[in-house]
Amino acid sequence: MAPLSHILEGMEIKVLHGEFFVTIEKRFSSFALFGGMVSTEFRPYQISMKHQGTKHDNQILTQMRMWLVYHPPGLKDLELQLRNIKSDSTFDLVCKVLHVCEGPSGEWIFYVWDGTDTPATELQTLLDTEAVTPTPLHPEEAPLPREVLCTLPCVGTVLRVFSNRFSKEILHLQKDIYWARFCNITCKQEFGMWKGSLLPSSRIRLLSSEDGSVIERLKTFNGRFATQVHREPMASLHTASDITDVEFKRAGYTTLMESLTHGQVTHKFKTLVRVVAAYPCQGKELHSLLTGDYCLRLTLEDPTARIHAYVHKDNAVSFFGGFLTLAALTRKMNRLLGVPEPEDDAEEGMAGGRNPPWIWCCLKSYRLDKYDPWGSRRFCAVEWHDGTSQYLVTSVNPIKIGYLVTFKLVTPNTLKVIVFNEDDSVEFRLENEGNTPRNILEKIVWNKDVEIWQMKEKMPLYRLKGPLDNAPPARDFVAALKASYDRTALPALIAEVKKASPSRGVLRENFDPVEIAQAYEKNGAACLSVLTDSKFFQGSFDYLEAIRNAGVKCPLLCKEFIIDAWQLYYARSKGADAVLLIAAILPDRDISYMLKICKILGMAALVEVHDEREIDRVIGIDGIQLIGINNRNLETFEVDISNTKNLLEGERGQLIAQKDIIRETERDGEEEEYLLLGLMSLTRWPWWRAPAAMVIGARQP
């Protein structure tokens, strides 16, 4: 039927929630219907009895016909399936509403599905931000709890649709699962994921299961689910890459969502995914995977879910097919990530976009803790390449360093990992007997790894970074130390706020961190050090925040066992001006990386060493301003007061002085001629209220 042009008289037009409503009173209104095609014919083919034309009708009709040429009807209300959606288009969507919840920011989130896959997105070529902000695994702020996740379909994309307003349909959708028509909605891509939005003019119409559109969707899905090939990602059909040749005997194709919702923790499966992000992904850092103590983090996705995966350095050589040159290694990684070759970019005119290929991977799911199987669940992915298998440590949760990597880094000794494959299970064992921490430091760091994982679940990085943009700048920790030394000609004092320690127990029962900090500042301390580890030192980040909010002006050092860059942002959010980095638990690359993050946040970093090997490592790292010498062996907690003097003698001490690196140690002996500043825990003794000069000149009882 040809488009129609209507001329109405005596009508009332109202706008409500972005939609136009026309009210016609039959007793007074009239109308005339004309053909909508461009024509010189101005006679109506239907007219009401009361209609009377005017001299302006022909001009209005011509304008309306020309407008229809450039705005054909039906495009706005186009009904699409998820497989056909496009960015920033407006359309109707017939879908099943699986879950509705209110997000942390007050917006409503609809989880909808129609049995098809959203199109694979083109991603940004720029990957430098992966170092600070890993690619997110889902559009919403917080992941779904497992009990809700297990109710979602395992084939087809579940689209998140966001709305800033409450509607009466939400009450029905929260009580049961309905099919519905989302009218006049739009979609866009964020971080390579589709995100739906309700517009002011959007409407939700609940549908019967007998509705024709619903029956059509179910028929399409049933046909897809019946065959193995059609269950695979729609975008991957006939395009799966042969970059890696994967074969897993007795394992059928499984989506990532099928694995995430599997009834048993231990299982194996074969899947088809894209590598949407990696860190590191280029340059010398990527090449160092073959020779250094590093790991590679991959972000894998299929239409149903995303996960983060890690390639450990022991498997990097086999993963990349040998010790490749830097150029060859970069080319292979670019191919996995879909980064176009320079000549391809020029020929096709691509502007910074990439489209990763689909590759086959095989994964195994296992648990770390038999008492918490789902909370400690991890994935081990076995990727076969030229007949050689390698293992990727993966996690459902987006953590920077997995358990295997953490175990390897907590001590100076190499930690060997043995992989057993018995009865279709994968078990990781440590060489030390009993699979327990071998010393106090290892015990602290293992506990810290679990603690950080739990804290990151409650406070993701993106929620920390927002408030920091408007936070006041950090106080200059280094300048405060130098100013104190210049003013007094005595070692500057970093006074420590510490309630307890593993070796001495509780230092002060009646512990008021704010009162102690204010007394330190009043009596001349240059800076303050605040213990934040709760389990072993009875410290707290709340102490740090309380001292800062109490108006203490001394720069604050967050004394924590830092093993993850997330901790730097968290410390800064609590008021820290500097942080402690311990060389005994961090490799050089992590120290260098964290120094860069500290610089971005405006914080100083005090790098602590204990022996010759650690201090020689740290001296060679660019950006070191503060070195702390700990006379206490962190593995045994034994103290050797001659340690500082031995480490600063000879050429090493001269090199430190030439680099203008500030040295720090605990005040305990006659070694202060080698120091620029001193660090003491004064909480236990009566002179925590004494002037700093008196404290520095005295000896501990």
Side-chain angles (χ1 to χ4, degrees), residues 451-471:
E451 178 185 307
I452 294 170
W453 176 76
Q454 294 171 342
M455 293 176 70
K456 289 169 71 174
E457 285 287 297
K458 298 178 181 178
M459 183 63 67
L461 181 60
Y462 65 86
R463 292 179 62 184
L464 286 176
K465 294 176 65 178
L468 290 180
D469 293 337
N470 300 319

Side-chain angles (χ1 to χ4, degrees), residues 66-283:
M66 292 303 299
W67 185 89
L68 284 172
V69 171
Y70 298 100
H71 301 83
L75 291 183
K76 178 181 178 181
D77 298 324
L78 189 65
E79 183 178 298
L80 298 178
Q81 291 181 291
L82 290 180
R83 62 183 176 183
N84 304 124
I85 62 176
K86 298 179 180 179
S87 290
D88 301 320
S89 62
T90 304
F91 58 93
D92 288 3
L93 179 67
V94 174
C95 54
K96 195 173 189 178
V97 184
L98 306 169
H99 181 63
V100 181
C101 65
E102 188 174 8
S105 302
E107 78 281 10
W108 288 94
I109 308 174
F110 300 84
Y111 294 78
V112 304
W113 169 91
D114 70 357
T116 64
D117 300 338
T118 51
T121 60
E122 185 178 88
L123 303 161
Q124 293 182 351
T125 298
L126 183 64
L127 292 165
D128 295 341
T129 56
E130 282 293 307
V132 178
T133 308
T135 299
L137 302 184
H138 36 73
E140 64 271 36
E141 293 184 24
L144 286 172
R146 176 170 172 78
E147 57 269 20
V148 176
L149 193 71
C150 289
T151 65
L152 302 184
C154 296
V155 177
T157 300
V158 176
L159 178 70
R160 278 69 163 170
V161 179
F162 293 77
S163 174
N164 292 324
R165 70 178 191 274
F166 180 84
S167 63
K168 64 180 183 298
E169 287 79 13
I170 292 178
L171 297 175
H172 297 284
L173 295 172
Q174 285 182 312
K175 296 177 182 178
D176 204 349
I177 296 177
Y178 287 90
W179 282 87
R181 180 186 296 274
F182 283 70
C183 305
N184 206 43
I185 69 170
T186 187
C187 277
K188 62 180 179 179
Q189 299 176 21
E190 287 187 0
F191 303 105
M193 295 178 290
W194 288 99
K195 179 179 179 180
S197 298
L198 294 186
L199 303 171
S201 59
S202 299
R203 293 291 179 272
I204 302 175
R205 304 285 184 255
L206 302 184
L207 301 177
S208 165
S209 58
E210 303 299 323
D211 184 271
S213 297
V214 174
I215 294 174
E216 181 183 350
R217 300 299 187 275
L218 290 174
K219 183 178 179 180
T220 301
F221 175 72
N222 291 335
R224 180 185 183 189
F225 196 79
T227 61
Q228 182 78 5
V229 173
H230 290 163
R231 293 175 70 251
E232 297 173 8
M234 291 179 170
S236 72
L237 296 180
H238 311 297
T239 63
S241 173
D242 59 355
I243 293 177
T244 56
D245 181 18
V246 179
E247 182 179 358
F248 210 39
K249 295 180 180 180
R250 302 187 305 276
Y253 167 74
T254 302
T255 66
L256 293 180
M257 183 62 74
E258 281 180 299
S259 176
L260 293 176
T261 59
H262 199 283
Q264 296 181 350
V265 175
T266 302
H267 64 276
K268 58 185 179 181
F269 63 98
K270 180 173 63 178
T271 189
L272 194 56
V273 295
R274 299 198 307 165
V275 182
V276 298
Y279 177 77
C281 63
Q282 56 188 340

Side-chain angles (χ1 to χ4, degrees), residues 238-375:
H238 311 297
T239 63
S241 173
D242 59 355
I243 293 177
T244 56
D245 181 18
V246 179
E247 182 179 358
F248 210 39
K249 295 180 180 180
R250 302 187 305 276
Y253 167 74
T254 302
T255 66
L256 293 180
M257 183 62 74
E258 281 180 299
S259 176
L260 293 176
T261 59
H262 199 283
Q264 296 181 350
V265 175
T266 302
H267 64 276
K268 58 185 179 181
F269 63 98
K270 180 173 63 178
T271 189
L272 194 56
V273 295
R274 299 198 307 165
V275 182
V276 298
Y279 177 77
C281 63
Q282 56 188 340
K284 295 182 179 179
E285 288 186 331
L286 179 61
H287 193 254
S288 64
L289 289 169
L290 304 178
T291 57
D293 295 326
Y294 311 134
C295 65
L296 169 67
R297 183 186 67 224
L298 304 175
T299 304
L300 308 178
E301 76 167 11
D302 73 358
T304 66
R306 273 187 182 180
I307 63 171
H308 283 160
Y310 297 85
V311 181
H312 192 260
K313 74 122 178 178
D314 292 340
N315 306 310
V317 175
S318 55
F319 180 81
F320 287 106
F323 284 95
L324 305 179
T325 64
L326 177 59
L329 193 61
T330 301
R331 283 196 301 269
K332 189 154 191 176
M333 177 56 71
N334 285 345
R335 189 179 174 194
L336 281 172
L337 292 168
V339 177
E341 295 289 339
E343 57 271 18
D344 295 339
D345 191 33
E347 291 175 3
E348 300 179 13
M350 296 181 65
R354 56 186 179 87
N355 189 16
W358 293 91
I359 62 171
W360 286 98
C361 285
C362 294
L363 297 92
K364 289 185 178 180
S365 174
Y366 68 99
R367 56 172 172 76
L368 294 175
D369 185 355
K370 65 179 180 180
Y371 298 107
D372 183 21
W374 297 111

